[in-house]
Amino acid sequence: MRIGEIAALAGVTPRAVRHYHHLGLLPEPERRPNGYRAYGVRHAVELARIRRLTELGLALAEIRDVLADDEGRELTEVLVELDRDLARQEAEIHSRRERLAGLLEQVRDGGLPPEGPVSPGLAELLRAIAPSDSPTARKDRGHLALVDSLVDDEQRDAFLDALRPLADDPELAARTAELYAALDELADARVDDPRIAPLAAEFSAAVPDTLLRLMGSGPPADGHPFGQALLGDFAPAQAEVVRRLMADLVRRSREL
Amino acid sequence: MRIGEIAALAGVTPRAVRHYHHLGLLPEPERRPNGYRAYGVRHAVELARIRRLTELGLALAEIRDVLADDEGRELTEVLVELDRDLARQEAEIHSRRERLAGLLEQVRDGGLPPEGPVSPGLAELLRAIAPSDSPTARKDRGHLALVDSLVDDEQRDAFLDALRPLADDPELAARTAELYAALDELADARVDDPRIAPLAAEFSAAVPDTLLRLMGSGPPADGHPFGQALLGDFAPAQAEVVRRLMADLVRRSREL
DNA sequence: CCTTGACCTTGTCGTAGCGTCAAGGTTTCT
DNA sequence: AGAAACCTTGACGCTACGACAAGGTCAAGG
């Protein structure tokens, strides 16, 4: 048989057969005078066996080991390990699908937030803040999504619990929107603008103790690279508010 | 922030961040005078978003499209398609695991046949033939495994049903073993050996009509590449038996 | 006899998502 | 001043082949 024939017989492509030769999975057969590979039934039997193993999901290198190791115990061991691996993959895919289902539910509940896929609790929270079209609010929604995607489930729940009043209390949400708007207005202000100090104080007052307690290694300080970057993300006067806010949060968290 | 810092913050490696730059997923930030990339919080927010999407299982190219297409509907569509894809993968893995479970059961039932993973029915059949350590029997077990791995489930069941008597009737299995042994003895015989004709007839008689009916395009003839290869797999006198057997099977199948 | 079409040959590049060197420059700490 | 821990670009490696390219072979038909 020529390569196309044996490949069709075994249900693979000629390219795959050559690949198996290359990897040493299948011995190279004799050649005809014209250079064509001349396969016998033995090769077909071996090829079919290789295909059965690949269909189970074994990697070609593993198949090579199994075939070489003149088996018995080896194959069983590989199969057990393969099953563990497949079980893990299946579980992983399943959990991804569950998260996907949750996201698609969010879509029906009012559309995905533009921040992309986030936990259901945060989606709710973002919707509460979303009406505010302020640049600062948009920025802060990004920050919330960042935190959301960073922490583990337990921390996330605590985090969302701490912020739940924002989602549940329309009045509080409105207050927050006002704070964002006030910060917006500082976009072009100078760093000695008198509105800075009181706004920082109000922002700090809006951060509950529960949230402070969550920040394990303390709130971002402006010595930290992240704190620096955060300041760099704002206009000067706004950055001054943020700096004072951060300093106050650090102070408060030390007093806890 | 430097690349290592933002990477650690988002839970990825610096290499991955550079990779996202390369693909255009994440914009390249400004550089510090020394050439280091200088990241802001905006980048961290975007990076976290990318990571959330990759964790859902989206391909990076899809993520790029979603991010570029300034979204809304696009993302939802991609997620739906992704879910279909994941469902398919999950089903595939699941079916593989079921086959694996069947194989591991075979292992407990008496070990895997050296022919590798085969359908449960064939494993039983192979065990019935296995006691015969004859080279011909070994070869034929390979042929059986080849057929087993080739046909679809329906054909396979019919095939195994046709051969079930071999597995169930010890006397018949013993008869078959004798036939194999007789063929073994022709390994060094000449092509005019008088044992050839009767042996071919006996082999033909051992093939039930039910099996013949299964061979859609007729039993292998020696004009066919596979038939040729099959003959080449045997010693001359043995090949002569096989040739006569094939011819007789063709004749019988035409008479059906 | 020549062509056409369906085969075959070797060799190389591409895929996805980075990991892992290599070879060098920067910053920081001791 | 030297070591440790960063950073830079560039290039190869991994899986299991698919998809070329550029050519040789063979059987059938005009």
Side-chain angles (χ1 to χ4, degrees), chain A residues 133-188:
Chain A
D133 202 22
S134 116
T136 304
R138 235 196 317 271
K139 208 173 283 186
D140 209 31
R141 290 204 296 269
H143 300 161
L144 289 173
L146 174 59
V147 173
D148 181 69
S149 73
L150 230 62
V151 300
D152 59 44
D153 286 3
E154 196 180 340
Q155 277 188 301
R156 193 198 326 272
D157 288 348
F159 173 69
L160 291 174
D161 280 347
L163 288 174
R164 188 157 312 278
L166 254 182
D168 291 344
D169 181 352
E171 197 179 340
L172 191 54
R175 276 285 298 135
T176 307
E178 282 173 30
L179 286 179
Y180 286 138
L183 204 47
D184 284 341
E185 284 173 19
L186 290 180
D188 298 318

Side-chain angles (χ1 to χ4, degrees), chain A residues 44-171:
Chain A
V45 170
E46 290 188 57
L47 180 55
R49 187 167 159 199
I50 292 172
R51 206 200 59 166
R52 287 193 300 267
L53 290 169
T54 62
E55 282 178 349
L56 280 176
L58 270 83
L60 297 187
E62 293 170 326
I63 296 181
R64 187 186 43 205
D65 294 346
V66 167
L67 295 189
D69 225 66
D70 237 351
E71 66 211 292
R73 189 190 124 277
E74 187 67 84
L75 176 56
T76 301
E77 186 183 329
V78 170
L79 292 186
V80 169
E81 191 187 345
L82 174 62
D83 188 59
R84 273 203 303 272
D85 198 42
L86 288 182
R88 200 180 43 68
Q89 284 183 44
E90 191 179 357
E92 192 183 326
I93 289 184
H94 196 71
S95 82
R96 287 215 286 236
R97 289 195 64 202
E98 278 178 355
R99 290 175 48 200
L100 263 178
L103 288 177
L104 292 176
E105 196 175 339
Q106 281 182 37
V107 169
R108 281 195 306 277
D109 283 4
L112 282 175
E115 283 74 22
V118 294
S119 65
L122 185 65
E124 204 180 334
L125 181 57
L126 289 178
R127 268 195 292 274
I129 310 183
S132 163
D133 202 22
S134 116
T136 304
R138 235 196 317 271
K139 208 173 283 186
D140 209 31
R141 290 204 296 269
H143 300 161
L144 289 173
L146 174 59
V147 173
D148 181 69
S149 73
L150 230 62
V151 300
D152 59 44
D153 286 3
E154 196 180 340
Q155 277 188 301
R156 193 198 326 272
D157 288 348
F159 173 69
L160 291 174
D161 280 347
L163 288 174
R164 188 157 312 278
L166 254 182
D168 291 344
D169 181 352
E171 197 179 340

Side-chain angles (χ1 to χ4, degrees), chain B residues 2-4 15 18 31 35-37:
Chain B
R2 292 175 304 180
I3 196 170
R15 180 65 176 90
R18 282 191 277 257
R31 301 295 184 118
Y36 289 14
R37 293 176 180 83

Side-chain angles (χ1 to χ4, degrees), chain B residues 140-181:
Chain B
D140 209 32
R141 290 203 297 268
H143 300 161
L144 289 172
L146 173 59
V147 172
D148 182 68
S149 75
L150 231 62
V151 299
D152 58 44
D153 286 4
E154 197 180 339
Q155 277 187 300
R156 193 200 324 274
D157 288 347
F159 173 68
L160 291 174
D161 279 348
L163 288 174
R164 187 156 313 278
L166 255 182
D168 291 344
D169 180 351
E171 196 178 341
L172 191 54
R175 276 285 297 135
T176 307
E178 282 173 29
L179 287 179
Y180 286 138

Side-chain angles (χ1 to χ4, degrees), chain B residues 43-189:
Chain B
H43 297 101
V45 169
E46 291 188 57
L47 180 55
R49 188 167 159 200
I50 293 172
R51 205 200 61 164
R52 287 194 300 269
L53 291 169
T54 63
E55 282 179 350
L56 280 175
L58 270 82
L60 297 186
E62 293 169 325
I63 296 181
R64 187 186 43 203
D65 295 345
V66 168
L67 296 188
D69 225 66
D70 236 349
E71 66 211 292
R73 187 190 126 277
E74 187 67 84
L75 176 57
T76 302
E77 187 183 328
V78 170
L79 291 185
V80 169
E81 192 187 345
L82 175 62
D83 188 59
R84 273 203 304 272
D85 198 43
L86 288 182
R88 201 181 40 69
Q89 284 183 43
E90 190 178 358
E92 192 182 325
I93 289 184
H94 195 72
S95 82
R96 287 217 286 237
R97 288 196 64 202
E98 279 179 353
R99 289 176 49 201
L100 262 178
L103 287 177
L104 292 177
E105 195 174 339
Q106 280 182 40
V107 169
R108 281 196 305 277
D109 284 4
L112 282 175
E115 282 74 22
V118 293
S119 66
L122 185 66
E124 204 180 333
L125 180 58
L126 289 178
R127 268 196 290 275
I129 310 184
S132 163
D133 202 21
S134 116
T136 304
R138 235 197 314 273
K139 207 173 284 186
D140 209 32
R141 290 203 297 268
H143 300 161
L144 289 172
L146 173 59
V147 172
D148 182 68
S149 75
L150 231 62
V151 299
D152 58 44
D153 286 4
E154 197 180 339
Q155 277 187 300
R156 193 200 324 274
D157 288 347
F159 173 68
L160 291 174
D161 279 348
L163 288 174
R164 187 156 313 278
L166 255 182
D168 291 344
D169 180 351
E171 196 178 341
L172 191 54
R175 276 285 297 135
T176 307
E178 282 173 29
L179 287 179
Y180 286 138
L183 204 47
D184 284 341
E185 285 173 18
L186 290 180
D188 299 318

